[in-house]
Amino acid sequence: MTTILEVANKAGVSKATVSRVLSGNGYVSQATRARVYSAIAETDYRPNLLARNLATKTTQTIGLVVTNTLYSGNYFSEILFHSARLMEQHGRQLILADGKHSAEEEKAAIDFLLDLRCDGIIIYPRFLSIDAMDEIITRHNQPIMVINRRLRKNHSYCLFSDQHASSRLAVSHLIARGHRQIAFVTGSLDSPTGVERLSGYKAALEEQGIPLRDDLIVAGKWTAQSGLEAVQHLLQKQARFTALVASNDDMAMGALKAFAAAGVAVPASVSVVGFDDMPLAPFTLPSLTSMKVPVTEMMEETFTRLIAMLDGGHWNAQKTFPASLVMRESIADGPFPPVVQA
Protein backbone atom coordinates (compact mmCIF):
# COMPACT_ATOMS: atom_id res chain seq x y z
CA MET A 1 0.00 0.00 0.00
CA THR A 2 1.35 3.38 -1.00
CA THR A 3 2.17 5.77 1.85
CA ILE A 4 1.98 9.54 2.01
CA LEU A 5 5.79 9.61 2.24
CA GLU A 6 6.08 7.86 -1.12
CA VAL A 7 3.70 10.42 -2.65
CA ALA A 8 5.78 13.23 -1.15
CA ASN A 9 9.05 11.78 -2.52
CA LYS A 10 7.47 11.26 -5.94
CA ALA A 11 6.28 14.87 -6.05
CA GLY A 12 9.47 16.26 -4.53
CA VAL A 13 7.67 17.89 -1.61
CA SER A 14 7.29 17.31 2.13
CA LYS A 15 4.65 15.13 3.77
CA ALA A 16 3.16 18.29 5.26
CA THR A 17 2.65 19.74 1.76
CA VAL A 18 0.83 16.58 0.61
CA SER A 19 -1.38 16.80 3.70
CA ARG A 20 -2.21 20.44 2.95
CA VAL A 21 -3.20 19.55 -0.60
CA LEU A 22 -5.44 16.70 0.58
CA SER A 23 -7.11 18.73 3.33
CA GLY A 24 -7.43 21.94 1.36
CA ASN A 25 -5.99 23.87 4.30
CA GLY A 26 -3.09 26.28 3.91
CA TYR A 27 -1.57 27.79 0.80
CA VAL A 28 -0.01 25.53 -1.84
CA SER A 29 0.93 26.89 -5.27
CA GLN A 30 -0.93 25.59 -8.30
CA ALA A 31 2.25 24.07 -9.73
CA THR A 32 3.03 22.19 -6.51
CA ARG A 33 -0.59 21.11 -6.16
CA ALA A 34 -0.48 19.72 -9.71
CA ARG A 35 2.70 17.74 -8.92
CA VAL A 36 1.08 16.24 -5.81
CA TYR A 37 -2.06 15.19 -7.69
CA SER A 38 0.08 13.70 -10.44
CA ALA A 39 2.07 11.71 -7.85
CA ILE A 40 -1.15 10.51 -6.22
CA ALA A 41 -2.42 9.26 -9.58
CA GLU A 42 0.88 7.56 -10.47
CA THR A 43 1.23 5.80 -7.12
CA ASP A 44 -2.50 4.99 -6.77
CA TYR A 45 -2.42 6.48 -3.28
CA ARG A 46 -5.60 6.32 -1.23
CA PRO A 47 -5.60 8.66 1.76
CA ASN A 48 -6.52 7.36 5.20
CA LEU A 49 -10.02 8.79 5.54
CA LEU A 50 -10.12 8.51 9.31
CA ALA A 51 -6.86 10.40 9.69
CA ARG A 52 -7.96 13.04 7.21
CA ASN A 53 -11.34 13.43 8.92
CA LEU A 54 -9.68 13.87 12.29
CA ALA A 55 -7.42 16.54 10.82
CA THR A 56 -10.12 18.45 8.94
CA LYS A 57 -12.93 17.83 11.50
CA THR A 58 -15.33 17.05 8.65
CA THR A 59 -16.16 13.95 6.65
CA GLN A 60 -18.35 15.57 3.98
CA THR A 61 -20.91 12.83 4.72
CA ILE A 62 -24.54 12.92 5.84
CA GLY A 63 -26.19 9.87 7.41
CA LEU A 64 -29.77 8.73 6.73
CA VAL A 65 -31.62 6.33 9.06
CA VAL A 66 -34.75 4.57 7.77
CA THR A 67 -36.29 1.36 9.07
CA ASN A 68 -36.09 -1.43 6.49
CA THR A 69 -39.85 -2.01 6.53
CA LEU A 70 -40.12 1.07 4.31
CA TYR A 71 -37.48 0.04 1.77
CA SER A 72 -39.84 -1.58 -0.74
CA GLY A 73 -42.32 1.29 -0.87
CA ASN A 74 -42.53 4.23 -3.23
CA TYR A 75 -42.33 6.67 -0.31
CA PHE A 76 -38.84 5.48 0.66
CA SER A 77 -37.71 5.56 -2.97
CA GLU A 78 -38.72 9.21 -3.17
CA ILE A 79 -36.92 10.05 0.09
CA LEU A 80 -33.76 8.26 -1.03
CA PHE A 81 -33.83 9.81 -4.51
CA HIS A 82 -34.10 13.36 -3.20
CA SER A 83 -31.50 12.69 -0.48
CA ALA A 84 -28.99 11.46 -3.05
CA ARG A 85 -29.80 14.32 -5.44
CA LEU A 86 -29.39 17.00 -2.79
CA MET A 87 -26.22 15.42 -1.40
CA GLU A 88 -24.68 15.49 -4.87
CA GLN A 89 -25.61 19.16 -5.25
CA HIS A 90 -23.78 19.93 -1.99
CA GLY A 91 -20.74 17.79 -2.85
CA ARG A 92 -21.32 15.32 -0.04
CA GLN A 93 -21.75 11.56 0.30
CA LEU A 94 -24.87 9.90 1.68
CA ILE A 95 -24.51 6.98 4.11
CA LEU A 96 -27.63 4.86 4.70
CA ALA A 97 -28.08 3.02 8.02
CA ASP A 98 -30.86 0.51 8.66
CA GLY A 99 -33.17 1.30 11.59
CA LYS A 100 -34.46 -2.29 11.48
CA HIS A 101 -37.37 -3.21 13.79
CA SER A 102 -37.18 -1.44 17.15
CA ALA A 103 -36.35 1.80 18.94
CA GLU A 104 -33.12 0.24 20.18
CA GLU A 105 -32.06 -0.61 16.63
CA GLU A 106 -32.95 2.87 15.36
CA LYS A 107 -30.83 4.29 18.17
CA ALA A 108 -27.99 1.89 17.26
CA ALA A 109 -28.15 3.08 13.63
CA ILE A 110 -27.79 6.69 14.78
CA ASP A 111 -24.86 5.75 17.02
CA PHE A 112 -23.24 3.93 14.08
CA LEU A 113 -23.40 7.08 11.94
CA LEU A 114 -22.12 9.20 14.81
CA ASP A 115 -19.18 6.81 15.21
CA LEU A 116 -18.45 7.25 11.51
CA ARG A 117 -18.24 10.99 12.27
CA CYS A 118 -20.98 11.95 9.80
CA ASP A 119 -21.28 15.72 9.73
CA GLY A 120 -25.05 15.47 10.19
CA ILE A 121 -27.81 12.86 10.33
CA ILE A 122 -31.36 12.63 9.00
CA ILE A 123 -33.78 10.12 10.51
CA TYR A 124 -37.21 9.03 9.33
CA PRO A 125 -38.22 7.36 12.61
CA ARG A 126 -40.78 4.65 13.15
CA PHE A 127 -40.04 3.35 16.65
CA LEU A 128 -38.12 6.01 18.61
CA SER A 129 -40.34 8.15 20.85
CA ILE A 130 -40.44 11.92 20.54
CA ASP A 131 -38.83 12.28 23.97
CA ALA A 132 -36.02 9.89 22.97
CA MET A 133 -35.30 11.85 19.79
CA ASP A 134 -35.33 15.16 21.65
CA GLU A 135 -32.80 13.70 24.10
CA ILE A 136 -30.55 12.38 21.31
CA ILE A 137 -30.55 15.73 19.49
CA THR A 138 -29.80 17.67 22.67
CA ARG A 139 -26.93 15.37 23.65
CA HIS A 140 -24.91 15.50 20.40
CA ASN A 141 -23.08 18.28 18.61
CA GLN A 142 -23.81 16.98 15.12
CA PRO A 143 -27.19 18.22 13.86
CA ILE A 144 -29.78 15.44 13.68
CA MET A 145 -32.85 16.26 11.57
CA VAL A 146 -36.12 14.36 12.08
CA ILE A 147 -38.57 13.88 9.19
CA ASN A 148 -42.31 13.38 9.69
CA ARG A 149 -42.41 13.69 13.50
CA ARG A 150 -43.25 16.75 15.59
CA LEU A 151 -40.68 17.24 18.36
CA ARG A 152 -41.56 18.94 21.65
CA LYS A 153 -38.24 20.67 22.32
CA ASN A 154 -36.01 20.85 19.25
CA HIS A 155 -38.49 22.50 16.94
CA SER A 156 -35.98 23.60 14.33
CA TYR A 157 -34.76 20.01 13.91
CA CYS A 158 -38.05 18.53 12.68
CA LEU A 159 -40.09 18.83 9.49
CA PHE A 160 -43.34 17.01 8.99
CA SER A 161 -46.63 16.71 7.15
CA ASP A 162 -49.75 16.66 9.32
CA GLN A 163 -51.02 13.15 8.57
CA HIS A 164 -54.10 13.56 10.77
CA ALA A 165 -55.15 16.73 8.94
CA SER A 166 -54.47 15.16 5.54
CA SER A 167 -56.66 12.16 6.27
CA ARG A 168 -59.39 14.36 7.68
CA LEU A 169 -59.29 16.43 4.48
CA ALA A 170 -59.62 13.36 2.24
CA VAL A 171 -62.58 11.98 4.18
CA SER A 172 -64.22 15.40 4.49
CA HIS A 173 -64.04 15.80 0.70
CA LEU A 174 -65.89 12.51 0.22
CA ILE A 175 -68.52 13.56 2.77
CA ALA A 176 -68.93 16.87 0.94
CA ARG A 177 -69.48 14.89 -2.28
CA GLY A 178 -72.41 13.00 -0.74
CA HIS A 179 -70.76 9.94 0.82
CA ARG A 180 -71.73 8.84 4.34
CA GLN A 181 -70.67 5.19 4.35
CA ILE A 182 -66.90 5.40 3.99
CA ALA A 183 -64.62 2.40 4.51
CA PHE A 184 -61.03 2.86 5.65
CA VAL A 185 -57.97 0.65 5.16
CA THR A 186 -55.38 1.46 7.82
CA GLY A 187 -51.64 1.33 7.49
CA SER A 188 -49.63 -0.63 10.03
CA LEU A 189 -50.72 0.71 13.41
CA ASP A 190 -47.24 0.41 14.92
CA SER A 191 -46.44 3.31 12.58
CA PRO A 192 -47.16 6.90 13.73
CA THR A 193 -48.32 7.72 10.20
CA GLY A 194 -50.78 4.81 10.26
CA VAL A 195 -52.17 5.91 13.62
CA GLU A 196 -52.54 9.57 12.58
CA ARG A 197 -54.28 8.77 9.30
CA LEU A 198 -56.79 6.57 11.11
CA SER A 199 -57.45 9.31 13.69
CA GLY A 200 -58.03 11.82 10.87
CA TYR A 201 -60.65 9.50 9.34
CA LYS A 202 -62.45 9.23 12.68
CA ALA A 203 -62.29 13.00 13.25
CA ALA A 204 -63.86 13.80 9.86
CA LEU A 205 -66.80 11.49 10.57
CA GLU A 206 -67.29 12.96 14.03
CA GLU A 207 -67.24 16.53 12.69
CA GLN A 208 -70.19 15.73 10.41
CA GLY A 209 -72.09 13.69 12.99
CA ILE A 210 -71.61 10.43 11.09
CA PRO A 211 -71.50 7.38 13.40
CA LEU A 212 -68.23 5.45 13.39
CA ARG A 213 -68.67 1.90 12.12
CA ASP A 214 -65.94 -0.48 13.19
CA ASP A 215 -66.99 -2.94 10.49
CA LEU A 216 -65.81 -0.43 7.85
CA ILE A 217 -62.27 -0.20 9.28
CA VAL A 218 -59.90 -2.90 7.99
CA ALA A 219 -56.25 -3.31 8.97
CA GLY A 220 -53.69 -3.03 6.16
CA LYS A 221 -49.92 -3.38 6.01
CA TRP A 222 -49.01 -0.69 3.44
CA THR A 223 -48.83 -3.32 0.64
CA ALA A 224 -51.01 -3.69 -2.46
CA GLN A 225 -51.82 -7.25 -1.38
CA SER A 226 -53.15 -6.05 1.97
CA GLY A 227 -55.35 -3.50 0.16
CA LEU A 228 -56.74 -6.22 -2.09
CA GLU A 229 -57.43 -8.48 0.90
CA ALA A 230 -59.09 -5.63 2.82
CA VAL A 231 -61.60 -5.09 0.03
CA GLN A 232 -62.19 -8.84 -0.31
CA HIS A 233 -62.93 -8.92 3.43
CA LEU A 234 -65.41 -6.04 3.17
CA LEU A 235 -67.19 -7.60 0.19
CA GLN A 236 -67.37 -11.03 1.83
CA LYS A 237 -69.03 -9.46 4.87
CA GLN A 238 -71.41 -7.64 2.51
CA ALA A 239 -70.51 -4.36 4.20
CA ARG A 240 -72.41 -1.39 2.80
CA PHE A 241 -70.20 1.50 1.73
CA THR A 242 -69.98 3.95 -1.17
CA ALA A 243 -66.39 5.14 -0.74
CA LEU A 244 -63.08 3.76 0.50
CA VAL A 245 -59.96 5.56 1.70
CA ALA A 246 -56.72 3.57 1.73
CA SER A 247 -53.82 4.83 3.85
CA ASN A 248 -51.41 4.69 0.91
CA ASP A 249 -51.54 4.33 -2.86
CA ASP A 250 -50.16 0.79 -2.85
CA MET A 251 -53.16 -0.39 -0.85
CA ALA A 252 -55.51 1.74 -2.96
CA MET A 253 -54.21 0.02 -6.10
CA GLY A 254 -54.78 -3.36 -4.49
CA ALA A 255 -58.31 -2.20 -3.68
CA LEU A 256 -58.92 -1.20 -7.31
CA LYS A 257 -57.88 -4.68 -8.43
CA ALA A 258 -60.20 -6.34 -5.92
CA PHE A 259 -63.15 -4.19 -6.99
CA ALA A 260 -62.48 -4.95 -10.67
CA ALA A 261 -62.27 -8.69 -9.95
CA ALA A 262 -65.61 -8.54 -8.10
CA GLY A 263 -67.33 -6.55 -10.85
CA VAL A 264 -67.73 -3.45 -8.64
CA ALA A 265 -67.43 -0.34 -10.81
CA VAL A 266 -65.12 2.47 -9.66
CA PRO A 267 -66.27 5.22 -9.27
CA ALA A 268 -69.87 4.46 -10.33
CA SER A 269 -70.47 2.12 -7.37
CA VAL A 270 -67.64 3.05 -5.03
CA SER A 271 -65.15 5.92 -4.88
CA VAL A 272 -61.50 5.26 -3.95
CA VAL A 273 -58.88 7.64 -2.51
CA GLY A 274 -55.24 6.84 -1.72
CA PHE A 275 -52.28 8.62 -0.13
CA ASP A 276 -48.83 9.73 -1.35
CA ASP A 277 -49.67 10.36 -5.03
CA MET A 278 -47.12 7.86 -6.30
CA PRO A 279 -46.00 8.08 -9.96
CA LEU A 280 -48.28 5.21 -11.07
CA ALA A 281 -51.43 6.87 -9.65
CA PRO A 282 -52.34 8.64 -12.94
CA PHE A 283 -52.01 5.35 -14.87
CA THR A 284 -54.36 3.08 -12.93
CA LEU A 285 -57.81 2.26 -14.32
CA PRO A 286 -59.50 4.47 -13.32
CA SER A 287 -56.74 6.94 -12.47
CA LEU A 288 -56.35 7.22 -8.71
CA THR A 289 -57.32 10.27 -6.66
CA SER A 290 -54.68 10.67 -3.97
CA MET A 291 -53.47 12.89 -1.14
CA LYS A 292 -50.09 14.26 -2.19
CA VAL A 293 -47.54 14.58 0.60
CA PRO A 294 -44.89 17.15 -0.46
CA VAL A 295 -41.85 14.89 0.01
CA THR A 296 -39.68 16.92 -2.40
CA GLU A 297 -40.28 20.14 -0.49
CA MET A 298 -39.73 18.43 2.87
CA MET A 299 -36.40 16.96 1.81
CA GLU A 300 -35.19 20.23 0.28
CA GLU A 301 -36.02 22.12 3.48
CA THR A 302 -34.35 19.38 5.55
CA PHE A 303 -31.09 19.69 3.62
CA THR A 304 -31.25 23.48 3.58
CA ARG A 305 -31.49 23.54 7.36
CA LEU A 306 -28.90 20.80 7.87
CA ILE A 307 -26.26 22.40 5.65
CA ALA A 308 -26.93 25.82 7.19
CA MET A 309 -26.61 24.37 10.70
CA LEU A 310 -23.23 22.93 9.75
CA ASP A 311 -22.26 26.48 8.81
CA GLY A 312 -23.47 27.87 12.13
CA GLY A 313 -27.03 28.81 11.17
CA HIS A 314 -30.03 28.49 13.51
CA TRP A 315 -33.84 28.24 13.35
CA ASN A 316 -36.36 28.76 16.13
CA ALA A 317 -39.47 27.27 14.58
CA GLN A 318 -40.77 23.95 13.33
CA LYS A 319 -42.37 23.69 9.91
CA THR A 320 -45.26 21.61 8.64
CA PHE A 321 -45.97 20.73 5.01
CA PRO A 322 -49.68 20.37 4.19
CA ALA A 323 -50.83 17.64 1.83
CA SER A 324 -53.15 18.37 -1.08
CA LEU A 325 -55.85 16.29 -2.78
CA VAL A 326 -54.96 15.44 -6.38
CA MET A 327 -58.27 14.84 -8.17
CA ARG A 328 -58.51 12.05 -10.75
CA GLU A 329 -61.12 9.60 -12.02
CA SER A 330 -61.55 7.26 -9.05
CA ILE A 331 -64.11 9.35 -7.15
CA ALA A 332 -67.62 10.54 -8.00
CA ASP A 333 -70.55 12.09 -6.15
CA GLY A 334 -72.20 9.87 -3.57
CA PRO A 335 -75.90 9.04 -3.10
CA PHE A 336 -76.55 11.62 -0.36
CA PRO A 337 -76.99 15.38 -0.70
CA PRO A 338 -73.73 17.32 -0.68
CA VAL A 339 -72.62 18.94 2.55
CA VAL A 340 -72.64 22.72 2.39
CA GLN A 341 -69.18 23.87 3.39
CA ALA A 342 -68.97 26.74 5.91
Side-chain angles (χ1 to χ4, degrees), residues 31 83 91 258 339:
S83 297
V339 172

Side-chain angles (χ1 to χ4, degrees), residues 3 12 24 37 49 51 55 78 106 132 185 217 237 258 300 307 310 312 340:
T3 67
Y37 281 131
L49 289 178
E78 193 168 359
E106 281 186 337
V185 183
I217 301 174
K237 291 196 311 179
E300 288 178 345
I307 297 301
L310 293 173
V340 177

Side-chain angles (χ1 to χ4, degrees), residues 11 26 49 62 65 83 98 100 109 144 163 195 221 238-239 265 269 271 279 285 299 333:
L49 289 178
I62 300 294
V65 177
S83 297
D98 184 5
K100 296 188 172 67
I144 301 174
Q163 306 294 344
V195 171
K221 298 179 180 179
Q238 298 184 332
S269 297
S271 293
L285 292 174
M299 295 307 300
D333 291 343

Side-chain angles (χ1 to χ4, degrees), residues 133-146:
M133 288 184 290
D134 267 326
E135 194 272 335
I136 291 170
I137 291 169
T138 301
R139 187 156 44 90
H140 292 97
N141 292 326
Q142 293 102 316
I144 301 174
M145 299 294 298
V146 177

Side-chain angles (χ1 to χ4, degrees), residues 57 59 62 68 74 77 91 96 109 114 119-120 157 191 215 276 336:
K57 298 182 180 181
T59 63
I62 300 294
N68 63 30
N74 178 77
S77 298
L96 175 64
L114 290 169
D119 295 332
Y157 291 80
S191 156
D215 64 313
D276 299 336
F336 295 92

Side-chain angles (χ1 to χ4, degrees), residues 99 102 120 122 164 174 214 241 250 252 269 275 303 315 317 340:
S102 68
I122 299 168
H164 173 95
L174 289 170
D214 289 335
F241 59 98
D250 286 315
S269 297
F275 271 85
F303 274 90
W315 275 264
V340 177

